[in-house]
């Protein structure tokens, strides 16, 4: 079934290919609701709604901005879902998932997050978070001046009011209607990201853990979360063992073959690691993270590193650093600290 602003239509075509409609019923009482993400290469969030008789489940919200908020609320109205009668699971801290947490809380929804990402989401509102990020980027060799973070989505679209949430962790379950969803911990894209798995119907809500056809950004979250890329790969292999027929990601297309997609993602990072190692080897000297990132290939429409907008530089540097850290972990590169800079070589 497809819901298209006030009228219900049935279609014989593959539902997964019709992204022009805002709401799609992918499985009985499970709806994918598109929420636009303005001025962002991701374009839209797949927010999911599971309808029960007396209670509903909403998975992720969208940016804290007018366009996302209006679509999020309209989708719920279309589905006749009341926020006060809903549990809202936020898979991780990024603002395209958590941005409307304060709105949901103010309207009576019960929010569930992992303890770590819940605390980090609240931290996005604190200046200390951005001071720490500035220091980290400077250690990578990036100059951070003026309004460098002004257009960063984590600052621009994060919740701007406080909210309460109920911490959830792996092993707990949430029941809605005919569905009993297990919480799965999948550190990698963020240190404390969670997914949801419905084993009876073999449905998996993957958040940003498994995407198709785009590749999740695996950034560096600090040495307190050691070798985050290795954690991500372990999380992928963990999910590969599950019996899944339908994987519902937070962006782009549904996934019918999760194991095949996981193999592709692991292969992508193996290629990326070799690319970074080759950059270090060809330089024959120690390099900053910025210098490595400048030599990496990026699938974004900018001609040079200098033309990257500051948010894209932040994400690219985090990805470069996570791969450099992995190479050091595997004894394929070395790290030294000199005058406040992290320097890598082979």
């Amino acid at each position: 079934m497809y819901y298209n602003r006030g009228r219900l239509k049935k279609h014989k075509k593959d539902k997964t290919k019709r992204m022009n409609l805002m709401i799609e019923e992918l499985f009985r009482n499970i709806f994918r609701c598109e929420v636009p993400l303005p001025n962002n290469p991701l374009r839209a969030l797949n927010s999911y709604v599971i309808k029960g008789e007396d209670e509903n489940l909403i998975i992720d919200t969208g940016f804290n901005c007018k366009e996302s908020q209006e679509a999020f609320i309209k989708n719920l109205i279309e589905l006749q879902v009341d926020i006060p009668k809903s549990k809202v699971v936020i898979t991780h801290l990024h603002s395209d998932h958590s941005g409307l947490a304060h709105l949901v809380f103010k309207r009576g929804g019960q929010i569930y997050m992992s303890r770590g990402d819940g605390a980090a989401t609240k931290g996005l509102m604190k200046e200390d978070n951005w001071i720490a990020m500035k220091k980290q980027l400077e250690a990578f060799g990036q100059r951070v001046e003026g309004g460098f973070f002004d257009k960063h989505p984590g600052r621009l679209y994060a919740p701007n009011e406080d909210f309460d949430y109920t911490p959830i962790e792996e092993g707990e379950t949430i029941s809605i209607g005919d569905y009993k969803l297990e919480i799965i911990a999948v550190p990698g894209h963020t240190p404390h990201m969670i997914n949801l798995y419905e084993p009876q119907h073999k449905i998996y809500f993957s958040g940003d853990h498994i995407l198709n056809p785009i590749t999740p950004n695996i950034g560096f979250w600090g040495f307190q979360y050691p070798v985050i890329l290795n954690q991500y790969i372990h999380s992928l292999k963990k999910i590969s063992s599950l019996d899944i027929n339908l994987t519902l990601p937070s962006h782009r297309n549904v996934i019918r073959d999760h194991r095949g997609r996981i193999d592709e993602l692991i292969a992508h990072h193996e290629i990326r690691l070799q690319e970074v190692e080759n950059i270090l080897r060809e330089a024959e000297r120690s390099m900053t993270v910025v210098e490595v990132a400048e030599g990496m290939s990026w699938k974004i429409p900018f001609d040079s590193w200098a033309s990257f907008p500051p948010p894209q530089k932040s994400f690219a540097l985090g990805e470069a650093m996570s791969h450099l850290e992995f190479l050091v972990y595997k004894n394929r590169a070395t790290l030294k600290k000199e005058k406040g800079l992290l320097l890598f070589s082979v």
Side-chain angles (χ1 to χ4, degrees), residues 79-104:
L79 290 172
Q80 299 181 338
V81 168
D82 294 328
I83 290 178
K85 295 182 179 179
S86 300
K87 294 178 178 177
V88 182
V89 172
I90 296 176
T91 57
H92 62 288
L93 67 92
H94 287 147
S95 57
D96 54 323
H97 299 256
S98 67
L100 298 176
H102 64 293
L103 173 73
V104 169

Side-chain angles (χ1 to χ4, degrees), residues 57 87 89 112 168 172-176 179-181 183:
L57 178 68
K87 294 178 178 177
V89 172
Y112 294 82
I168 49 175
E172 296 185 33
T173 60
I174 297 176
S175 296
I176 299 291
Y179 300 104
K180 186 175 182 179
L181 297 116
I183 306 302

